[in-house]
Amino acid sequence: MALALVGSATALSPTERLSSWRTAAACTGVHVASVAESTPLSRFCSDGTVFPALTSRTQANNAAQRGELLLNGRTAHGAARVHSGDVLTLNNPSPAPLSTPEVRRVERFFEELTEAKRERGGRFEVLHEDDELAVVFKPPGVHSTGWAGTRKKWGELTLCDALPLLLTAPSQRASLAPLPAPSPAHRLDARVGGVIAVAKTRRALAGLSTLFRERRVTKVYVAIVVGAVCIEELAGDRVDAGGRFTCTAFSESEATSKSPEGGLRVEQQGEDGRLSVTEVRVLEVTPCAVHGALTTLELRPLTGRRHQLRIACALALGAPIVGDDLYHAGASAARAARTPHGSVPPLPPVRRRAGLFLQALEISLPHPATGRTLRVRAPEMRRFAKLRERAASGAAYTDEEWELWRSRGT
């Protein structure tokens, strides 16, 4: 089944764009049951075949509780039994519209994310879009989804609020079961920019959730870390006193399908017993007068754990990501433990204001609707190249030139 790519929604006004999503999400339908034996209502309507808008027992139960899912014209509990010949009716109304001040607030937020001056740090834009899903670029500094802290403490807007203004609502076909608003299928830390997959329909959301749960999604990140990372020196090294980290070098012939070239495999046994695995490749080492050296790494997480990549770089490699103040102290301890004789120089103070130099560069997955591989790659943010350029130009100065520069500034 081919899916047509869709154009940008920006030709419509903000109110029209938000309204188009609410209208697309409204769904009604009637179904006459045919079952061999009686089945609970919530189970009967849980796989999306009866009503595409209902793809789980929870959704069916909630629809029944709200009075939107009727059995023989009457409200019913999700545990009510469905028999052959019973008539099921779904009437899912459009969500309530936003007030005018709320629309204007979201519009200003959207304009801020897409303005041209953000290009160096990455702009909010569409990288791929069809009727079922989209892949967008999330700028750093924005939460992927809302949570208690963003809503209650700050009232902060998130990526979810801006997505309806960027993406086009699915066509109103019954088989699509559009969501009332685009929904990110996974998260990136607020300080991390890069590609993020977004579901536009209930089928896509369920399919993407299954793909992530089964680890069939390949993600590639790029990071700039402090220090020169040497694969040969780190191979086989168990870092901290508890031996939680194991670094193993692998050749190209031993590489996985997710990481086709050789590198370093970092494994961490968490306190909860869960294993996290990250594959690391060195792309470039840049001399730097401040940090000694900066290393550009390609990171491929084979598992999904909180701060997995930041922990692997800081605590396993002893090379924290530039701008990572959270694990900077731990990286210093890891470097000291690995070289007890003090041959590795101490880390310079962390500079948080410059941002966290970690980006989600690429995502590859089977399309939930067609099964074909969807591979989307974003360009590296310009600030990464700028940092390497500044580091290389500063390292080119001799000690005498640095002293002359400092004396001119005093």
Side-chain angles (χ1 to χ4, degrees), residues 36 93 212 329:
F212 276 98

Side-chain angles (χ1 to χ4, degrees), residues 63-248:
Q65 290 175 5
R66 291 192 299 264
E68 298 169 1
L69 178 60
L70 305 179
L71 179 61
N72 296 321
R74 299 178 180 179
T75 58
H77 193 273
R81 311 297 292 191
V82 176
H83 303 83
S84 287
D86 286 345
V87 178
L88 285 71
T89 306
L90 178 66
N91 182 16
N92 189 4
S94 300
L98 295 177
S99 65
T100 301
E102 289 174 324
V103 172
R104 290 176 179 171
R105 181 167 175 252
V106 172
E107 183 182 12
R108 287 194 297 268
F109 178 61
F110 173 76
E111 291 173 349
E112 179 186 345
L113 295 182
T114 55
E115 62 187 5
K117 71 178 183 180
R118 294 187 64 98
E119 185 176 353
R120 181 178 171 186
R123 285 191 297 169
F124 185 40
E125 60 182 340
V126 179
L127 302 175
H128 167 86
E129 184 178 9
D130 57 51
D131 254 348
E132 296 271 1
L133 61 82
V135 178
V136 305
F137 187 94
K138 182 191 87 69
V142 182
H143 287 280
S144 301
T145 58
W147 52 285
T150 61
R151 297 302 189 194
K152 295 180 181 178
K153 188 174 181 180
W154 300 295
E156 187 176 321
L157 294 175
T158 68
L159 191 76
C160 288
D161 297 296
L163 281 171
L165 300 186
L166 183 71
L167 302 178
T168 302
S171 57
Q172 291 181 300
R173 287 189 288 144
S175 60
L176 289 181
L179 292 165
S183 177
H186 57 111
R187 298 184 183 186
L188 294 177
D189 287 349
R191 298 182 65 197
V192 178
V195 295
I196 188 166
V198 180
K200 298 173 60 176
T201 67
R202 298 184 188 278
R203 177 172 66 175
L205 184 60
L208 289 171
S209 298
T210 299
L211 292 174
F212 276 98
R213 184 172 61 253
E214 296 177 352
R215 298 180 183 173
R216 297 170 60 194
V217 179
T218 300
K219 293 185 287 183
V220 180
Y221 290 75
V222 64
I224 299 181
V225 300
V226 178
V229 175
C230 179
I231 298 296
E232 291 74 14
E233 292 180 1
L234 290 168
D237 187 17
R238 304 182 69 88
V239 177
D240 66 350
R244 291 184 301 149
F245 295 95
T246 303
C247 301
T248 308

